[in-house]
Amino acid sequence: MHQLLPQHAVLLTDPVATPAHVADYQEITDAYFAPANWYQTPVGFDGFGDYSLMGRPYFDHGMPSRAIALHLIYVTVNGDLRIHHFVSDSNANMRGQKQKFFEALTKLTDWAPAHLTGLNRTPALATLLAYAEGDKFPGLGIIKKLAIMHHFQLMHRLLALN
């Protein structure tokens, strides 16, 4: 495609390993996402992009899941990007979406204070963490929206530094 349209090309990558089942993210709790120089546009391209938290596989259906996973990108002290997965524990069946959400959220709220500091503390992350103060399940769509907002807000902050 780049050879056909050499101008205005954007390099698009999918750095996230996508297991067959959501519960399988328990096996890859924390993973490498991008190197510290991720923001440098490769020669011959006008920009870069990634599939963020969505991954290249596209699903246009929504239904309860056996497991709920919260996926968050964060920047390390050396500038690398990593992704952390917080997975529910009660994954035997599709019942209990609210319970599954709070199981994953509890893992996030326990992990966040030590790992999501400075630039990583985005408004979207604060909104997501605030759900731990109550008992309202916002729905999977809102959770995904907040995770993507966090990714965009973090990328905006990082690009502003470079």
Side-chain angles (χ1 to χ4, degrees), residues 133-146:
E133 304 293 322
D135 68 345
K136 181 182 185 302
F137 172 49
L140 295 176
I142 298 297
I143 296 165
K144 181 65 79 175
K145 178 178 95 172
L146 289 170

Side-chain angles (χ1 to χ4, degrees), residues 63-150:
M63 59 184 266
S65 178
R66 288 187 185 275
I68 287 182
L70 305 175
H71 313 280
L72 284 174
I73 304 288
Y74 67 101
V75 63
T76 64
V77 293
N78 69 352
D80 289 343
L81 295 178
R82 298 193 61 84
I83 185 167
H84 202 91
H85 310 283
F86 306 90
V87 183
S88 59
D89 296 314
S90 58
N91 303 329
N93 58 53
M94 293 184 191
R95 290 189 301 268
Q97 297 293 291
K98 178 179 177 180
Q99 175 187 346
K100 293 174 192 300
F101 166 67
F102 280 103
E103 289 169 356
L105 183 61
T106 297
K107 292 177 181 180
L108 169 58
T109 57
D110 290 346
W111 186 83
H115 299 92
L116 299 177
T117 58
L119 294 173
N120 292 304
R121 298 295 278 190
T122 65
L125 176 64
T127 300
L128 183 59
L129 291 172
Y131 281 104
E133 304 293 322
D135 68 345
K136 181 182 185 302
F137 172 49
L140 295 176
I142 298 297
I143 296 165
K144 181 65 79 175
K145 178 178 95 172
L146 289 170
I148 292 170
M149 285 174 62
H150 167 75

Side-chain angles (χ1 to χ4, degrees), residues 26-41:
Q26 291 175 331
E27 304 301 320
I28 50 172
T29 304
D30 196 87
Y32 178 78
F33 189 82
N37 66 345
W38 61 269
Y39 58 88
Q40 294 177 347
T41 303

